[in-house]
Amino acid sequence: MLIERIEAIPDLRGQLTDVHRGGVVGTGGDGEGGPNWTVPVLTDRSTHRRDIARIIRTLQGQFDLED
C-alpha cells in the first residue's frame, strides 16, 4: 500500500525511494499507541520529500504491523 501511494505521485513513478530500497521495519512500538513500524533512512535526509513523509505518517497511524 505504501509503495502504491508513493508511485501514484507522478514524478516518482519508477523512481527508487528508501521505501523501495529498505522496505518497512518494525520498531516494537513505544507502548503509548505510537507507530510500531518505520522506513529506514538510506539516502541523504536533505533529499526527503514532505509528501512521502506525510504518506508514511498517515499509514503509520492507520496500520500496525502484526506481531
Side-chain angles (χ1 to χ4, degrees):
M1 184 179 292
L2 181 56
I3 289 175
E4 288 174 6
R5 291 198 185 182
I6 290 170
E7 291 179 347
I9 301 170
D11 59 323
L12 289 179
R13 192 164 299 132
Q15 299 295 315
L16 289 179
T17 66
D18 286 353
V19 176
H20 293 86
R21 290 182 188 99
V24 171
V25 296
T27 63
D30 63 7
E32 299 294 325
N36 70 353
W37 62 272
T38 192
V39 175
V41 176
L42 302 175
T43 57
D44 182 359
R45 287 185 185 270
S46 68
T47 64
H48 287 191
R49 294 173 50 128
R50 289 181 185 195
D51 49 356
I52 293 177
R54 187 176 311 113
I55 291 168
I56 291 170
R57 281 193 304 273
T58 299
L59 292 177
Q60 282 176 324
Q62 293 177 338
F63 301 99
D64 285 337
L65 291 176
E66 297 291 327
D67 290 331

